[in-house]
Amino acid sequence: MREFMARLRLVPAQAGLGYVVLVATAAAYLVVYTSSLGRFPTSFDYLSILNTMLPLVFVAIGQSLVVLTGGIDLSVGGIVSLCVTVTATTVTGTGLAPFGWLLVVLALGAACGAVNGMIVAVGRIAPILATLATLSIFTGLALWVLPVPGGSIPPVVRNVLSNPNVPTGLIWLGVAVGGWLVLRRTRFGMRVYAIGSDETSARAVGVPAGRVKLGVYALSGLCSALAAIFYVSTTTAGDANAGAPFILTSIASVVVGGVAFTGGRGSALGAVAGAVALTLVIDVLFFAGIDPLYQSLFQGLFLVVAVLLGTAATFLTRRRRATP
């Protein structure tokens, strides 16, 4: 337990990497934007970035919870795709009816995540194998629900979630951040860190590791469903392949945010910062005139540099602590 508490004290330092990367990326965005257009970004530009980044923010939060337990969730892309197709084809009507369907979509995402949790916690199958298998299943179901891109979402839902004229996204971003801050201070949140730090010791002191993992994967599925809803709200249509990019970008957000893949260290706030930074990178490359064919190359280089910086920062922090 002492080792767990000692590692927990490093959480702010780990998350700090994401904040540094975010500030650097934001500065690069301002420089490239003003150089390209000869003016500063308008409120429309900031609103567009806000609405675009929200789906990745939610997926990154769910992914960080799983990684904090020492696991990984590759099925986030499949859950997002499935929930996107269900949202685009079933969320209809006026008044409160569409919001009732949104609750169904959220329940679907949580159920998909719970299936992952059951396989990992009860079946004792490695998370990477379990979620890789369910990724294929969920993606197949998404293609069955919506074979070709299409569907729609009622304007009333869009006005509440991602209003193109009012920054409602700031409210939902605040809800996401506030939800994490509350969760981390609960008994469940402390158990997540304990399992990731040392699962054997956590079990020895009575932590129900199986139930915690089940809850973590269910929350990851819920976050993926939220991402799907905001995705459809922003794009106003559905696509069975919509979730594919979120697999790597959510993992990249976690890495950039300083969450340790060994578990037990890091913060979802760092992952949120990483998600925002990755969203800005796309805009930086666009305004810098980089050919879209090479965007993946520069995104990969960005991730490698961020990881190297994080490794160097961790090494220096530990060396400083070890120095008498």
Side-chain angles (χ1 to χ4, degrees):
M1 186 60 69
R2 289 180 179 176
E3 179 184 356
F4 159 62
M5 294 304 296
R7 295 179 71 180
L8 189 60
R9 294 189 188 100
L10 292 176
V11 168
Q14 296 291 327
L17 171 63
Y19 305 142
V20 172
V21 173
L22 174 57
V23 171
T25 309
Y29 169 76
L30 289 174
V31 171
V32 173
Y33 185 99
T34 53
S35 299
S36 176
L37 300 182
R39 59 179 175 80
F40 287 104
T42 64
S43 58
F44 175 82
D45 296 308
Y46 291 124
L47 188 58
S48 176
I49 292 173
L50 175 64
N51 291 333
T52 302
M53 76 182 185
L54 278 175
L56 180 56
V57 165
F58 283 111
V59 179
I61 291 175
Q63 187 73 261
S64 63
L65 281 169
V66 175
V67 173
L68 282 171
T69 64
I72 191 170
D73 189 356
L74 299 180
S75 72
V76 293
I79 297 177
V80 170
S81 292
L82 177 58
C83 291
V84 161
T85 58
V86 173
T87 300
T89 55
T90 62
V91 179
T92 57
T94 58
L96 296 178
F99 296 98
W101 281 109
L102 292 182
L103 293 177
V104 173
V105 174
L106 294 178
L108 174 63
C112 291
V115 170
N116 288 331
M118 289 290 291
I119 297 174
V120 172
V122 179
R124 300 296 180 90
I125 297 177
I128 190 171
L129 297 178
T131 57
L132 182 61
T134 55
L135 167 64
S136 298
I137 295 173
F138 299 145
T139 302
L141 289 173
L143 287 168
W144 176 72
V145 174
L146 191 65
V148 295
S152 61
I153 193 166
V156 63
V157 175
R158 191 183 186 199
N159 289 336
V160 172
L161 299 182
S162 56
N163 194 309
N165 301 312
V166 181
T168 54
L170 284 176
I171 298 175
W172 299 112
L173 179 61
V175 169
V177 172
W180 162 253
L181 292 175
V182 172
L183 179 65
R184 184 188 167 202
R185 286 162 175 76
T186 62
R187 179 180 297 180
F188 178 83
M190 294 297 290
R191 285 174 171 177
V192 168
Y193 278 100
I195 291 173
S197 180
D198 190 336
E199 184 173 344
T200 302
S201 298
R203 289 180 181 272
V205 297
V207 174
R211 281 188 294 172
V212 172
K213 287 184 178 181
L214 177 61
V216 162
Y217 281 92
L219 284 173
S220 178
L222 178 64
C223 288
S224 294
L226 283 167
I229 291 172
F230 278 90
Y231 176 91
V232 179
S233 178
T234 302
T235 62
T236 69
D239 186 346
N241 296 312
F246 291 100
I247 302 173
L248 292 180
T249 52
S250 66
I251 295 173
S253 299
V254 168
V255 172
V256 172
V259 180
F261 266 83
T262 52
R265 285 184 296 164
S267 169
L269 294 184
V272 169
V276 178
L278 286 172
T279 303
L280 287 174
V281 165
I282 301 298
D283 289 328
V284 169
L285 295 176
F286 174 79
F287 287 113
I290 302 297
D291 191 318
L293 294 175
Y294 301 115
Q295 284 188 357
S296 296
L297 169 64
F298 285 95
Q299 282 182 295
L301 292 174
F302 172 81
L303 179 59
V304 169
V305 172
V307 171
L308 291 176
L309 289 175
T311 302
T314 301
F315 174 77
L316 292 175
T317 300
R318 289 179 175 176
R319 185 175 182 180
R320 190 181 302 113
R321 289 177 179 271
T323 302

